[in-house]
Each structure stands twice: as structure tokens, then as C-alpha cells.
Amino acid sequence: LAELGAAAASHAHTWAQISGAPVQTTRWPSWTEVTGKPATMPPAAHTHTWAQVTGAPAAHTHTAAQGNADVVASGHSQIGSYMLAAVISSAAIPGLGRTIAGASLRPSGCYEYSYSGAGALAGTWKQFGHLGGANTDDRWDDRTTLFVRIA
């Protein structure tokens, strides 16, 4: 091929050797050269239908209970579960918005002797309700409030 003046099948050219190349091959296009752009930049506020969202499911079909399927299908103390629980008498009351180990909580109710006998809870819980000072009597009502399991 070299004797005929032809280039090898695999070769390269510099930009200067390419004729008819669009100007955008050597620089970013100007705003007026961009096609398919919104009329204003940034685009005006707008909405899309569900069908216009790529990869969106055909419909929203699950119930609220299915959104918490792990709580609904499993036990009473999954992460995200709420429970009335009593702080055991030997543990410090964490305080509103603070955390406590499940080992220091027992499922309870609002009655004086409402401890269920279910034993300690797993995980870490956040106190949502108010509790007074520590109380070491044998009743559970003054150590019981709402907790949510966070870990």
C-alpha cells in the first residue's frame, strides 16, 4: 500500500488534517448552537405525569401496612416499632428524646401492675414520653411511657 501512496488501514490524523469537521469538535458549543434545550435557563418550574417518569411502576399499589411490612409481619420490637415500655427500677431514666438500651426496658401498660412478663427488649430505644424521677416501688405505671426502637 505504501508504494501506491495509500495509508495503512489503522492510522491517525491530526485535527488540522480533517476537512469539514464541525466547529464543535474543537470547542464547546455556544448556547445558540445547543438543540433540544428549554426555552429558559434554568427551566421554569414544571411537573411530569407518573407515566413520564422513566422506570416508574405502573401504579402505586401497596397499603400503608405494607410500607411497614417488617413490623406487621414480625414481632413487636422491630426497628421502627413503638411500644409502651417501663424502665426497670435499677436503670436511669433516659429523658425525653434520649436513648436507652432495650435491656433496661420491659413491655408494659399504664396500669400499676401491667408488666407483661415478656422480658427485656432488644436493641436501642428512644424515649418519646415524659417520665418523672426514678421510682423503685414494685409498680410499673410511673416508669412506663412511649418508646420507639431506633437500632
Side-chain angles (χ1 to χ4, degrees):
L1 292 175
E3 300 106 28
L4 300 173
S10 176
H11 64 280
H13 291 275
T14 65
W15 279 114
Q17 294 173 316
I18 298 174
S19 60
V23 294
Q24 291 85 358
T25 58
T26 59
R27 64 170 174 76
W28 287 104
S30 69
W31 181 247
T32 57
E33 294 169 324
V34 176
T35 60
K37 64 186 179 208
T40 59
M41 194 56 162
H46 64 283
T47 61
H48 292 274
T49 65
W50 192 247
Q52 292 173 314
V53 179
T54 303
H60 178 262
T61 58
H62 70 270
T63 65
Q66 290 168 323
N68 290 320
D70 58 336
V71 175
V72 174
S74 300
H76 60 275
S77 59
Q78 302 300 313
I79 293 174
S81 296
Y82 291 85
M83 182 177 295
L84 280 176
V87 179
I88 60 173
S89 59
S90 61
I93 293 172
L96 190 60
R98 298 229 168 141
T99 60
I100 187 170
S104 295
L105 296 175
R106 302 294 182 269
S108 189
C110 296
Y111 176 67
E112 288 182 323
Y113 297 100
S114 62
Y115 166 57
S116 70
L121 300 175
T124 302
W125 296 75
K126 180 182 272 190
Q127 181 179 327
F128 271 12
H130 175 73
L131 287 174
N135 188 326
T136 58
D137 66 19
D138 63 343
R139 297 177 209 144
W140 295 86
D141 61 330
D142 48 5
R143 296 190 307 247
T144 299
T145 193
L146 183 64
F147 290 88
V148 63
R149 183 167 176 198
I150 59 171

PDB file of all heavy atoms in Angstrom, residues 56-77:
ATOM      1  N   ALA A  56     -40.695   4.198  36.320  1.00  0.00           N
ATOM      2  CA  ALA A  56     -41.711   4.261  37.375  1.00  0.00           C
ATOM      3  C   ALA A  56     -42.640   3.060  37.269  1.00  0.00           C
ATOM      4  O   ALA A  56     -42.952   2.617  36.166  1.00  0.00           O
ATOM      5  CB  ALA A  56     -42.522   5.550  37.244  1.00  0.00           C
ATOM      6  N   PRO A  57     -43.088   2.505  38.397  1.00  0.00           N
ATOM      7  CA  PRO A  57     -44.044   1.404  38.324  1.00  0.00           C
ATOM      8  C   PRO A  57     -45.358   1.895  37.722  1.00  0.00           C
ATOM      9  O   PRO A  57     -45.652   3.093  37.725  1.00  0.00           O
ATOM     10  CB  PRO A  57     -44.223   0.977  39.780  1.00  0.00           C
ATOM     11  CG  PRO A  57     -43.728   2.118  40.593  1.00  0.00           C
ATOM     12  CD  PRO A  57     -42.742   2.869  39.755  1.00  0.00           C
ATOM     13  N   ALA A  58     -46.137   0.972  37.203  1.00  0.00           N
ATOM     14  CA  ALA A  58     -47.402   1.329  36.559  1.00  0.00           C
ATOM     15  C   ALA A  58     -48.359   1.993  37.528  1.00  0.00           C
ATOM     16  O   ALA A  58     -49.137   2.848  37.146  1.00  0.00           O
ATOM     17  CB  ALA A  58     -48.043   0.085  35.943  1.00  0.00           C
ATOM     18  N   ALA A  59     -48.323   1.586  38.791  1.00  0.00           N
ATOM     19  CA  ALA A  59     -49.248   2.159  39.775  1.00  0.00           C
ATOM     20  C   ALA A  59     -48.659   2.033  41.168  1.00  0.00           C
ATOM     21  O   ALA A  59     -47.779   1.221  41.414  1.00  0.00           O
ATOM     22  CB  ALA A  59     -50.588   1.443  39.707  1.00  0.00           C
ATOM     23  N   HIS A  60     -49.164   2.827  42.070  1.00  0.00           N
ATOM     24  CA  HIS A  60     -48.812   2.745  43.488  1.00  0.00           C
ATOM     25  C   HIS A  60     -49.849   1.827  44.120  1.00  0.00           C
ATOM     26  O   HIS A  60     -51.004   2.201  44.255  1.00  0.00           O
ATOM     27  CB  HIS A  60     -48.866   4.152  44.090  1.00  0.00           C
ATOM     28  CG  HIS A  60     -48.570   4.179  45.552  1.00  0.00           C
ATOM     29  ND1 HIS A  60     -49.548   4.206  46.494  1.00  0.00           N
ATOM     30  CD2 HIS A  60     -47.397   4.178  46.226  1.00  0.00           C
ATOM     31  CE1 HIS A  60     -49.006   4.228  47.696  1.00  0.00           C
ATOM     32  NE2 HIS A  60     -47.709   4.219  47.555  1.00  0.00           N
ATOM     33  N   THR A  61     -49.439   0.615  44.462  1.00  0.00           N
ATOM     34  CA  THR A  61     -50.426  -0.387  44.855  1.00  0.00           C
ATOM     35  C   THR A  61     -50.299  -0.899  46.277  1.00  0.00           C
ATOM     36  O   THR A  61     -51.105  -1.705  46.694  1.00  0.00           O
ATOM     37  CB  THR A  61     -50.352  -1.601  43.913  1.00  0.00           C
ATOM     38  OG1 THR A  61     -49.018  -2.132  43.972  1.00  0.00           O
ATOM     39  CG2 THR A  61     -50.671  -1.195  42.478  1.00  0.00           C
ATOM     40  N   HIS A  62     -49.291  -0.491  47.030  1.00  0.00           N
ATOM     41  CA  HIS A  62     -49.168  -1.072  48.375  1.00  0.00           C
ATOM     42  C   HIS A  62     -49.940  -0.239  49.401  1.00  0.00           C
ATOM     43  O   HIS A  62     -50.128   0.949  49.241  1.00  0.00           O
ATOM     44  CB  HIS A  62     -47.702  -1.252  48.788  1.00  0.00           C
ATOM     45  CG  HIS A  62     -46.970   0.020  49.043  1.00  0.00           C
ATOM     46  ND1 HIS A  62     -46.282   0.695  48.080  1.00  0.00           N
ATOM     47  CD2 HIS A  62     -46.837   0.738  50.172  1.00  0.00           C
ATOM     48  CE1 HIS A  62     -45.746   1.788  48.600  1.00  0.00           C
ATOM     49  NE2 HIS A  62     -46.068   1.840  49.863  1.00  0.00           N
ATOM     50  N   THR A  63     -50.362  -0.929  50.430  1.00  0.00           N
ATOM     51  CA  THR A  63     -51.103  -0.271  51.510  1.00  0.00           C
ATOM     52  C   THR A  63     -50.122   0.313  52.513  1.00  0.00           C
ATOM     53  O   THR A  63     -48.928   0.010  52.485  1.00  0.00           O
ATOM     54  CB  THR A  63     -52.002  -1.276  52.246  1.00  0.00           C
ATOM     55  OG1 THR A  63     -51.155  -2.240  52.901  1.00  0.00           O
ATOM     56  CG2 THR A  63     -52.949  -1.976  51.284  1.00  0.00           C
ATOM     57  N   ALA A  64     -50.604   1.118  53.415  1.00  0.00           N
ATOM     58  CA  ALA A  64     -49.753   1.687  54.461  1.00  0.00           C
ATOM     59  C   ALA A  64     -49.119   0.579  55.290  1.00  0.00           C
ATOM     60  O   ALA A  64     -47.959   0.657  55.670  1.00  0.00           O
ATOM     61  CB  ALA A  64     -50.565   2.620  55.347  1.00  0.00           C
ATOM     62  N   ALA A  65     -49.871  -0.475  55.574  1.00  0.00           N
ATOM     63  CA  ALA A  65     -49.330  -1.580  56.369  1.00  0.00           C
ATOM     64  C   ALA A  65     -48.174  -2.252  55.639  1.00  0.00           C
ATOM     65  O   ALA A  65     -47.200  -2.662  56.256  1.00  0.00           O
ATOM     66  CB  ALA A  65     -50.421  -2.600  56.674  1.00  0.00           C
ATOM     67  N   GLN A  66     -48.246  -2.357  54.324  1.00  0.00           N
ATOM     68  CA  GLN A  66     -47.157  -2.965  53.574  1.00  0.00           C
ATOM     69  C   GLN A  66     -45.910  -2.103  53.590  1.00  0.00           C
ATOM     70  O   GLN A  66     -44.808  -2.590  53.426  1.00  0.00           O
ATOM     71  CB  GLN A  66     -47.593  -3.238  52.138  1.00  0.00           C
ATOM     72  CG  GLN A  66     -48.601  -4.358  52.044  1.00  0.00           C
ATOM     73  CD  GLN A  66     -49.241  -4.445  50.674  1.00  0.00           C
ATOM     74  OE1 GLN A  66     -49.501  -3.436  50.038  1.00  0.00           O
ATOM     75  NE2 GLN A  66     -49.501  -5.656  50.246  1.00  0.00           N
ATOM     76  N   GLY A  67     -46.076  -0.804  53.799  1.00  0.00           N
ATOM     77  CA  GLY A  67     -44.923   0.078  53.914  1.00  0.00           C
ATOM     78  C   GLY A  67     -44.104  -0.233  55.148  1.00  0.00           C
ATOM     79  O   GLY A  67     -42.931   0.050  55.211  1.00  0.00           O
ATOM     80  N   ASN A  68     -44.715  -0.835  56.150  1.00  0.00           N
ATOM     81  CA  ASN A  68     -44.033  -1.271  57.361  1.00  0.00           C
ATOM     82  C   ASN A  68     -44.150  -2.782  57.482  1.00  0.00           C
ATOM     83  O   ASN A  68     -44.404  -3.318  58.546  1.00  0.00           O
ATOM     84  CB  ASN A  68     -44.655  -0.601  58.597  1.00  0.00           C
ATOM     85  CG  ASN A  68     -44.350   0.870  58.631  1.00  0.00           C
ATOM     86  OD1 ASN A  68     -43.247   1.270  58.303  1.00  0.00           O
ATOM     87  ND2 ASN A  68     -45.326   1.664  59.007  1.00  0.00           N
ATOM     88  N   ALA A  69     -43.958  -3.475  56.368  1.00  0.00           N
ATOM     89  CA  ALA A  69     -44.171  -4.919  56.324  1.00  0.00           C
ATOM     90  C   ALA A  69     -43.355  -5.668  57.366  1.00  0.00           C
ATOM     91  O   ALA A  69     -43.818  -6.644  57.946  1.00  0.00           O
ATOM     92  CB  ALA A  69     -43.865  -5.459  54.927  1.00  0.00           C
ATOM     93  N   ASP A  70     -42.117  -5.201  57.631  1.00  0.00           N
ATOM     94  CA  ASP A  70     -41.304  -5.904  58.621  1.00  0.00           C
ATOM     95  C   ASP A  70     -41.912  -5.810  60.012  1.00  0.00           C
ATOM     96  O   ASP A  70     -41.865  -6.743  60.792  1.00  0.00           O
ATOM     97  CB  ASP A  70     -39.865  -5.381  58.626  1.00  0.00           C
ATOM     98  CG  ASP A  70     -39.765  -3.889  58.902  1.00  0.00           C
ATOM     99  OD1 ASP A  70     -40.745  -3.164  58.650  1.00  0.00           O
ATOM    100  OD2 ASP A  70     -38.705  -3.459  59.374  1.00  0.00           O
ATOM    101  N   VAL A  71     -42.540  -4.680  60.328  1.00  0.00           N
ATOM    102  CA  VAL A  71     -43.180  -4.526  61.627  1.00  0.00           C
ATOM    103  C   VAL A  71     -44.462  -5.345  61.674  1.00  0.00           C
ATOM    104  O   VAL A  71     -44.745  -6.032  62.654  1.00  0.00           O
ATOM    105  CB  VAL A  71     -43.476  -3.034  61.922  1.00  0.00           C
ATOM    106  CG1 VAL A  71     -44.254  -2.878  63.211  1.00  0.00           C
ATOM    107  CG2 VAL A  71     -42.174  -2.248  61.981  1.00  0.00           C
ATOM    108  N   VAL A  72     -45.245  -5.289  60.606  1.00  0.00           N
ATOM    109  CA  VAL A  72     -46.521  -6.008  60.557  1.00  0.00           C
ATOM    110  C   VAL A  72     -46.301  -7.515  60.602  1.00  0.00           C
ATOM    111  O   VAL A  72     -46.987  -8.234  61.322  1.00  0.00           O
ATOM    112  CB  VAL A  72     -47.319  -5.610  59.297  1.00  0.00           C
ATOM    113  CG1 VAL A  72     -48.565  -6.452  59.147  1.00  0.00           C
ATOM    114  CG2 VAL A  72     -47.682  -4.136  59.349  1.00  0.00           C
ATOM    115  N   ALA A  73     -45.344  -8.017  59.848  1.00  0.00           N
ATOM    116  CA  ALA A  73     -45.147  -9.459  59.725  1.00  0.00           C
ATOM    117  C   ALA A  73     -44.323 -10.055  60.854  1.00  0.00           C
ATOM    118  O   ALA A  73     -44.400 -11.248  61.112  1.00  0.00           O
ATOM    119  CB  ALA A  73     -44.469  -9.773  58.389  1.00  0.00           C
ATOM    120  N   SER A  74     -43.538  -9.255  61.520  1.00  0.00           N
ATOM    121  CA  SER A  74     -42.606  -9.796  62.507  1.00  0.00           C
ATOM    122  C   SER A  74     -43.108  -9.557  63.922  1.00  0.00           C
ATOM    123  O   SER A  74     -44.282  -9.317  64.138  1.00  0.00           O
ATOM    124  CB  SER A  74     -41.241  -9.148  62.305  1.00  0.00           C
ATOM    125  OG  SER A  74     -40.766  -9.417  61.009  1.00  0.00           O
ATOM    126  N   GLY A  75     -42.180  -9.544  64.833  1.00  0.00           N
ATOM    127  CA  GLY A  75     -42.506  -9.380  66.235  1.00  0.00           C
ATOM    128  C   GLY A  75     -42.879  -7.965  66.603  1.00  0.00           C
ATOM    129  O   GLY A  75     -43.047  -7.097  65.756  1.00  0.00           O
ATOM    130  N   HIS A  76     -42.949  -7.729  67.875  1.00  0.00           N
ATOM    131  CA  HIS A  76     -43.407  -6.454  68.410  1.00  0.00           C
ATOM    132  C   HIS A  76     -42.297  -5.443  68.624  1.00  0.00           C
ATOM    133  O   HIS A  76     -42.550  -4.350  69.094  1.00  0.00           O
ATOM    134  CB  HIS A  76     -44.119  -6.700  69.751  1.00  0.00           C
ATOM    135  CG  HIS A  76     -43.221  -7.337  70.764  1.00  0.00           C
ATOM    136  ND1 HIS A  76     -43.044  -8.690  70.816  1.00  0.00           N
ATOM    137  CD2 HIS A  76     -42.446  -6.811  71.727  1.00  0.00           C
ATOM    138  CE1 HIS A  76     -42.191  -8.984  71.791  1.00  0.00           C
ATOM    139  NE2 HIS A  76     -41.816  -7.855  72.360  1.00  0.00           N
ATOM    140  N   SER A  77     -41.074  -5.776  68.311  1.00  0.00           N
ATOM    141  CA  SER A  77     -39.999  -4.835  68.627  1.00  0.00           C
ATOM    142  C   SER A  77     -38.985  -4.703  67.488  1.00  0.00           C
ATOM    143  O   SER A  77     -37.793  -4.629  67.725  1.00  0.00           O
ATOM    144  CB  SER A  77     -39.303  -5.240  69.925  1.00  0.00           C
ATOM    145  OG  SER A  77     -38.772  -6.541  69.815  1.00  0.00           O
TER     146      SER A  77
END
